[in-house]
Amino acid sequence: MLNANTLAIAYLISAALFILGLKGLTSPSTARRGNYLAMLGMALAIVATLFNPVVQNYSLIFTGLAIGAVIGIVVALKIDMKAMPQLVAAFHSLVGLTAVLVAIGTFTEHATSGLVDRIMLVELGVGSFIGAITFTGSLIAFGKLQGILSGNPVVFKGQHLLNLVLGLVALALVIQFSQNSGLTTLILITVIALALGFLLIIPIGGADMPVVISMLNSYSGWAAAATGFTLQNNALIVTGALVGFSGAILSFIMCRAMNRSFISVILGGFGGSDDEETTAMQAANQGVKSAAVEDLAFMIENANRLIIVPGYGMAVAQAQHALKELTDILNEKEIEVKFAIHPVAGRMPGHMNVLLAESDIPYDQVVEMEEINPEFSTTDVALVVGANDVTNPAAKTDKSSPIYGMPILDVEKAKYVFVIKRSMRPGYSGIENLLYFRDNCSMVFGDAKEVCEALVAELKNS
């Protein structure tokens, strides 16, 4: 068993490793090292906790660890990379549920022994409140991302007023709970928070899903911190605070990348995921140029520089490996290739970076928006693979557009633009992409993976 000083030192080292891990995650080249450091920090925290003198029974702990390890390994081996955003949302829900269960369990245990003070009651009420919001909010996000629920915003009259009233009632109940503790009051706080989590996420549309993911990440961190206060575990408090603050900062960065305020996202996002094209969309197709794979191969082979813009369509088709093969061929032909990454491309922050890293595309060829945008004007061919809203010129020209003011990738400035896409269906924002109607733009309709593989075959035979 560890004494208090040794346990504190172990937790301090663990916290330092978590901070170094977060630092490593700021760059693709150091992300793997950052993950290892964070994993080491978590392992140290778990081992130190197991040797805490307050732990008396290990049977349930090791049973839980074994079950969790089996589930984690199975999920990690079977999860499709395009499903990573909804997996993250599902994991966030579990953190929230854990906070709720710990709060209720701790209260019932301490209430019978009379070891409950006012500070602990506040911690329990706040912890259960944050955890419940995280739980149902994450479940709704999971449903939207998985396609179980519609990606369209769900709004109704008086929605924000209802949220405000529920929030104030929950606050009043937390105060009452701290004065006159009762299990019924704690359950009421939890039920209201469960409803708030549902109501806060349903008005957020598909276009704002990257912000929702990072926001729920922050919520899960605060839920973990609240659990740490409840259990008087310093490592959990520090870890939760790190996740909470980093998630909040990331949410701010995502909002800035979309030129939207955090409040506007919470009050109701935009965008949907309707399965059918409208008649207007079909009519618009008549003014769009299409090209064959052979045309695309010819233009790329005669180019000096190619910029590839990946999007969620690439993730769905799992086309990143075909793009890696394409990159290798073009490097052999001494054609410069770069990948342009928008901060909110895909369904979660860093989605495209993870997929490209999975296929071993060199980090120095993956460039962020601010750095790559000036290069489009001197680029021969821009190849858009399943990206939509992040390339839409309406963000700069159409003041009535919901994405007006959002920083975009300046794809239209390239000499030639080719877009690989299944159809003319709009992206998360639910609006037409004006890029497709530009004179220098041609559509290559088809599955991204199949088109890229055909492109590779064409270039090999040339």
Side-chain angles (χ1 to χ4, degrees):
M1 294 297 173
L2 301 177
N3 58 41
N5 291 334
T6 305
L7 190 63
I9 293 173
Y11 284 160
L12 179 62
I13 296 173
S14 176
L17 289 170
F18 290 143
I19 294 172
L20 291 173
L22 283 174
K23 173 63 176 176
L25 293 176
T26 59
S27 170
S29 60
T30 59
R32 191 183 299 273
R33 183 181 65 196
N35 267 322
Y36 288 146
L37 290 172
M39 290 163 60
L40 179 61
M42 181 56 69
L44 176 60
I46 292 173
V47 171
T49 302
L50 290 175
F51 283 95
N52 191 324
V54 301
V55 178
Q56 302 295 324
N57 190 328
Y58 289 95
S59 57
L60 289 177
I61 294 176
F62 284 117
T63 300
L65 285 173
I67 294 174
V70 170
I71 294 175
I73 291 171
V74 171
V75 170
L77 292 175
K78 291 190 174 182
I79 191 67
D80 197 338
M81 287 303 297
K82 70 176 180 290
M84 192 58 66
Q86 45 264 53
L87 176 66
V88 172
F91 282 168
H92 288 162
S93 72
L94 295 179
V95 176
L97 180 60
T98 300
V100 172
L101 295 177
V102 168
I104 295 176
T106 302
F107 174 76
T108 55
E109 178 185 357
H110 286 71
T112 55
S113 61
L115 300 176
V116 181
D117 57 31
R118 186 169 298 178
I119 294 177
M120 175 177 283
L121 291 174
V122 173
E123 293 171 355
L124 294 175
V126 172
S128 184
F129 179 77
I130 298 175
I133 287 180
T134 305
F135 176 61
T136 49
S138 298
L139 287 181
I140 297 302
F142 170 82
K144 285 176 175 278
L145 291 167
Q146 187 66 18
I148 299 173
L149 302 174
S150 172
N152 295 318
V154 178
V155 295
F156 54 86
K157 188 175 181 180
Q159 187 173 28
H160 304 316
L161 178 61
L162 175 61
N163 291 344
L164 177 61
V165 170
L166 289 176
L168 292 175
V169 171
L171 177 61
L173 287 173
V174 170
I175 295 174
Q176 179 186 345
F177 180 66
S178 67
Q179 302 294 327
N180 301 298
S181 61
L183 182 59
T184 301
T185 305
L186 181 58
I187 291 176
L188 280 175
I189 293 171
T190 304
V191 170
I192 290 175
L194 289 172
L196 266 176
F198 173 80
L199 293 170
L200 285 171
I201 302 301
I202 59 169
I204 300 179
D208 283 328
M209 268 302 140
V211 178
V212 173
I213 293 295
S214 58
M215 179 182 70
L216 290 172
N217 180 57
S218 179
Y219 287 0
S220 68
W222 298 125
T227 304
F229 279 108
T230 300
L231 299 177
Q232 297 182 345
N233 186 299
N234 292 332
L236 197 53
I237 294 172
V238 172
T239 304
L242 287 173
V243 174
F245 276 115
S246 61
I249 293 171
L250 186 58
S251 298
F252 172 77
I253 294 172
M254 293 296 102
C255 287
R256 187 174 61 181
M258 299 170 67
N259 193 40
R260 287 171 59 70
S261 69
F262 184 75
I263 298 300
S264 68
V265 172
I266 296 301
L267 294 182
F270 63 89
S273 56
D274 294 332
D275 291 332
E276 300 297 330
E277 292 180 88
T278 64
T279 303
M281 292 290 181
Q282 294 172 353
N285 278 346
Q286 304 304 316
V288 173
K289 294 185 295 183
S290 61
V293 173
E294 293 78 9
D295 301 323
L296 174 57
F298 175 80
M299 296 303 298
I300 290 178
E301 193 167 28
N302 288 278
N304 292 316
R305 173 184 290 180
L306 168 71
I307 295 180
I308 301 174
V309 180
Y312 186 65
M314 181 196 76
V316 172
Q318 290 290 278
Q320 64 269 26
H321 299 290
L323 285 176
K324 164 61 175 173
E325 191 174 359
L326 172 64
T327 302
D328 291 341
I329 292 174
L330 296 182
N331 287 337
E332 291 176 1
K333 294 178 178 288
E334 297 184 350
I335 297 173
E336 182 184 357
V337 182
K338 290 185 179 180
F339 289 81
I341 305 297
H342 192 282
V344 295
R347 287 189 170 182
M348 65 180 290
H351 198 179
M352 297 300 104
N353 300 77
V354 171
L355 291 172
L356 295 178
E358 180 196 26
S359 59
D360 293 325
I361 290 175
Y363 297 134
D364 58 358
Q365 289 184 275
V366 181
V367 188
E368 299 297 326
M369 178 180 64
E370 292 81 1
E371 186 178 347
I372 197 70
N373 263 348
E375 298 186 23
F376 278 107
S377 59
T378 57
T379 296
D380 300 302
V381 177
L383 177 60
V384 181
V385 186
N388 204 325
D389 297 326
V390 298
T391 65
N392 194 343
K396 292 186 173 182
T397 60
D398 185 0
K399 293 185 178 181
S400 64
S401 173
I403 66 171
Y404 180 73
M406 180 180 84
I408 62 169
L409 290 164
D410 294 330
V411 174
E412 65 174 335
K413 293 183 178 180
K415 187 175 182 179
Y416 298 102
V417 180
F418 290 88
V419 179
I420 301 175
K421 205 170 181 295
R422 288 179 179 272
S423 67
M424 289 294 293
R425 186 179 302 159
Y428 291 153
S429 66
I431 62 174
E432 287 181 329
N433 191 336
L434 301 185
L435 172 69
Y436 305 157
F437 302 90
R438 295 291 193 257
D439 292 336
N440 62 336
C441 181
S442 298
M443 306 293 294
V444 183
F445 292 109
D447 176 83
K449 181 179 180 181
E450 294 176 358
V451 171
C452 289
E453 288 176 344
L455 178 59
V456 168
E458 188 70 24
L459 289 171
K460 283 182 177 179
N461 295 329
S462 62

